[in-house]
């Protein structure tokens, strides 16, 4: 935890494939590795129409507050922006300690969207602490690891709601709505 786990090739591959592109990898011992990513040309306006279509299928409401807990700044900002575009109110937290303090001060979200693996404390440890005082808190975990790796290592229980990175805005919208609508 807190150290690199490789080149992140599964995330690169997932992002490129969901974008309709391809990846070429060149590696030479003693020289290094080069990745060439080929993406389809954008013809403008596609993102806006996709976002509107997704928001229409899985609309959020401003009174539904999502707390995003993610130690990677770019990932947190992208998730928060996507959730706002979907109509949700969003609290952004840089890590578990910030989230614990916010909830303790009264900022209780409708749903906690948290990374599983973070340097100071795991998402699971944070959720366990929060559930002591807020047992009905709805939680959606996210990770760059596979579901099998997370569940089989005992990090999360079988059946826990998990969204693996990279994810599309549609996958995020659908999963958030599913967890929020569960009784």
């Amino acid at each position: 935890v807190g150290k690199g786990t490789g080149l992140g090739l599964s995330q690169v591959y997932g992002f490129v494939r969901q974008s309709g592109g391809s990846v070429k990898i060149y590696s030479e011992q003693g020289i290094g590795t080069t990745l060439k990513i080929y993406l389809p040309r954008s013809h403008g306006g596609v993102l806006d129409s996709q976002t509107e279509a997704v928001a229409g299928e899985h609309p959020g409401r401003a009174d539904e507050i999502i707390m995003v807990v993610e130690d990677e700044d770019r990932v947190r900002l992208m998730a928060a922006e996507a959730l706002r575009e979907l109509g949700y109110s969003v609290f952004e937290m840089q890590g578990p300690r910030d989230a614990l303090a916010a909830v303790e001060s009264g900022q209780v979200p409708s749903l906690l969207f948290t990374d599983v693996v973070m340097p100071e404390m795991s998402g699971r440890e944070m959720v366990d602490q929060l559930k002591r005082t807020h047992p009905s808190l709805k939680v959606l975990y996210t990770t760059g690891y596979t579901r099998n790796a997370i569940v089989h290592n005992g990090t999360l229980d079988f059946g826990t709601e998990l969204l693996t990175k990279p994810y599309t805005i549609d996958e995020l919208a659908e999963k958030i709505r599913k967890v929020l609508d569960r009784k």
Side-chain angles (χ1 to χ4, degrees):
V1 174
K3 299 194 184 224
T5 57
L7 296 173
L9 293 179
S10 64
Q11 289 185 342
V12 170
Y13 178 77
F15 169 75
V16 170
R17 294 298 292 169
Q18 79 185 17
S19 300
S22 62
V23 179
K24 301 283 185 192
I25 302 173
Y26 305 93
S27 186
E28 291 184 47
Q29 190 170 1
I31 295 176
T33 302
T34 301
L35 277 80
K36 291 187 178 182
I37 299 173
Y38 299 92
L39 298 171
R41 178 176 294 186
S42 171
H43 296 287
V46 174
L47 182 59
D48 292 340
S49 64
Q50 286 177 344
T51 301
E52 289 171 14
V54 170
E57 293 172 26
H58 308 284
R61 298 188 319 262
D63 66 328
E64 294 175 310
I65 302 166
I66 312 297
M67 181 178 286
V68 178
V69 184
E70 171 64 62
D71 60 312
E72 295 281 336
D73 291 339
R74 285 182 282 166
V75 176
R76 183 182 60 256
L77 294 172
M78 288 175 57
E81 182 62 29
L83 290 165
R84 286 186 182 101
E85 286 179 18
L86 291 166
Y88 298 103
S89 295
V90 179
F91 295 148
E92 295 179 50
M93 302 295 151
Q94 293 181 343
R97 301 223 185 276
D98 291 344
L100 290 169
V103 172
E104 189 175 302
S105 72
Q107 293 180 323
V108 181
S110 308
L111 181 140
L112 181 70
F113 181 51
T114 181
D115 194 3
V116 175
V117 179
M118 294 179 278
E120 61 187 45
M121 172 189 301
S122 76
R124 167 74 183 268
E125 291 168 329
M126 175 189 59
V127 168
D128 287 347
Q129 285 188 33
L130 289 171
K131 290 268 189 169
R132 289 184 198 132
T133 54
H134 298 86
S136 62
L137 180 65
K138 295 179 179 188
V139 179
L140 174 59
Y141 291 97
T142 186
T143 186
Y145 294 94
T146 66
R147 175 177 279 283
N148 285 344
I150 294 296
V151 171
H152 291 314
N153 285 335
T155 308
L156 294 179
D157 295 329
F158 182 77
T160 301
E161 291 293 343
L162 179 68
L163 182 61
T164 55
K165 300 173 191 172
Y167 49 81
T168 64
I169 191 170
D170 190 34
E171 291 167 332
L172 176 64
E174 185 177 338
K175 199 71 152 174
I176 291 282
R177 191 75 261 151
K178 176 184 173 188
V179 176
L180 280 172
D181 290 344
R182 185 180 309 128
K183 299 294 178 198

